[in-house]
Amino acid sequence: MGRKVHPVGFRLKVNRDWDARWYAEGNDYVDLLQEDRKIRQYVKQEAGRAGVSRVEIEREANQVSVNIHTARPGIVIGRKGDAVKKIKTDLENMTGKKCRVEVTEIEKPDTDAQLVAENIAQQLERRIGHSRAIKRAIGQAMRQGAQGIRINVSGRLGGSDMARREWQSEGRIPRNTLRANIDYGFAEALTTYGRIGVKVWVYKGEILQKEDESSKRAGEQKDSYVS
């Protein structure tokens, strides 16, 4: 079998932070983990049309901070903030703690891997050809400034008797490079023939270049001072 590593878990603490930032031990950890799952499911259901990419959860002593990354913040906020207030009250009733809800806008949704994967899955459910959906997504992502994109679809494509996997890519996708800023997304399309999995990798450039340059400059200044 091929050994595969999740692109996000591979780069944690290198150029990506955790989506859940809190600490617990024993049974408390299990309960809070299940609570995080319920929070994410609720936000996805409540703001499904808003294009929610990911939900960051931070916990303090008696407060839960939820940051919703969405392509359409107006839908999540609602008229005069009614939708956000409803989400906040529902989360407080769910967790039994004080909740703080923040909404972050995704400036380029066509380069967000999760949103691209969900968009392709929705097109497959509407019986649009997978090759056409993939080509359209790749073209939009490259026009929005992505340096590379790769899309995998697997399952009974086109209603074929045997499941198969197809993929298309454009640009560079350095999946083994730690400093590469690679966004990863996964979605499933529930079709009449069965489930079709969609995986998307989007390469947005390198992250550690600025730190390397600043460290070089600091070293050069130190050398000149010593001399």
Side-chain angles (χ1 to χ4, degrees):
M1 291 181 64
R3 291 183 285 273
K4 299 178 180 66
V5 179
H6 196 282
V8 176
F10 185 49
R11 291 170 177 82
L12 280 177
K13 207 60 181 174
V14 178
N15 60 14
R16 172 126 185 189
D17 202 359
W18 283 262
D19 288 343
R21 293 184 286 276
W22 47 267
Y23 177 79
E25 292 182 351
N27 293 329
D28 293 338
Y29 176 82
V30 179
D31 296 338
L32 293 179
L33 196 63
Q34 292 294 331
E35 195 174 277
D36 280 7
R37 187 166 171 267
K38 291 178 181 177
I39 290 173
R40 290 193 170 93
Q41 284 181 344
Y42 169 77
V43 172
K44 281 278 189 181
Q45 291 174 358
E46 194 68 22
R49 296 183 299 108
V52 176
S53 173
R54 61 194 180 108
V55 179
E56 294 181 338
I57 300 173
E58 238 178 290
R59 295 180 184 272
E60 298 175 5
N62 294 315
Q63 182 174 334
V64 180
S65 300
V66 179
N67 189 2
I68 303 172
H69 294 258
T70 174
R72 299 170 187 164
I75 297 177
V76 180
I77 296 170
R79 184 174 294 177
K80 296 182 181 179
D82 293 339
V84 171
K85 290 176 183 176
K86 183 180 182 301
I87 292 174
K88 183 180 178 182
T89 53
D90 290 346
L91 291 179
E92 287 178 349
N93 294 332
M94 185 188 302
T95 60
K97 299 176 183 176
K98 187 178 179 181
C99 290
R100 185 165 60 92
V101 179
E102 296 180 1
V103 180
T104 303
E105 182 180 6
I106 300 172
E107 296 180 355
K108 297 180 180 179
D110 289 331
T111 61
D112 189 283
Q114 184 62 34
L115 296 182
V116 172
E118 291 178 0
N119 184 25
I120 293 174
Q122 291 172 3
Q123 293 184 57
L124 294 177
E125 289 176 353
R126 297 199 305 267
R127 299 195 176 188
I128 295 175
H130 62 278
S131 298
R132 180 181 173 188
I134 290 173
K135 287 179 181 177
R136 184 185 299 173
I138 288 176
Q140 290 175 346
M142 296 303 289
R143 281 194 296 271
Q144 287 289 325
Q147 296 190 20
I149 180 171
R150 175 189 171 108
I151 300 175
N152 281 18
V153 290
S154 59
R156 294 181 61 184
L157 303 175
S160 61
D161 293 334
M162 185 175 292
R164 68 181 190 274
R165 182 180 63 186
E166 291 187 9
W167 63 274
Q168 294 183 28
S169 67
E170 187 172 340
R172 289 182 58 233
I173 307 289
R175 288 180 291 175
N176 296 325
T177 307
L178 276 172
R179 64 175 176 268
N181 181 14
I182 290 188
D183 192 14
Y184 174 76
F186 171 76
E188 288 184 342
L190 183 58
T191 66
T192 55
Y193 304 105
R195 290 186 183 270
I196 295 178
V198 183
K199 295 180 180 180
V200 178
W201 292 262
V202 178
Y203 176 49
K204 300 180 180 179
E206 294 185 356
I207 281 186
L208 301 179
Q209 284 182 340
K210 294 182 180 178
E211 295 183 5
D212 294 340
E213 290 175 1
S214 61
S215 61
K216 287 180 181 178
R217 290 175 184 172
E220 291 174 357
Q221 291 177 358
K222 186 177 179 182
D223 294 340
S224 61
Y225 176 75
V226 170
S227 61

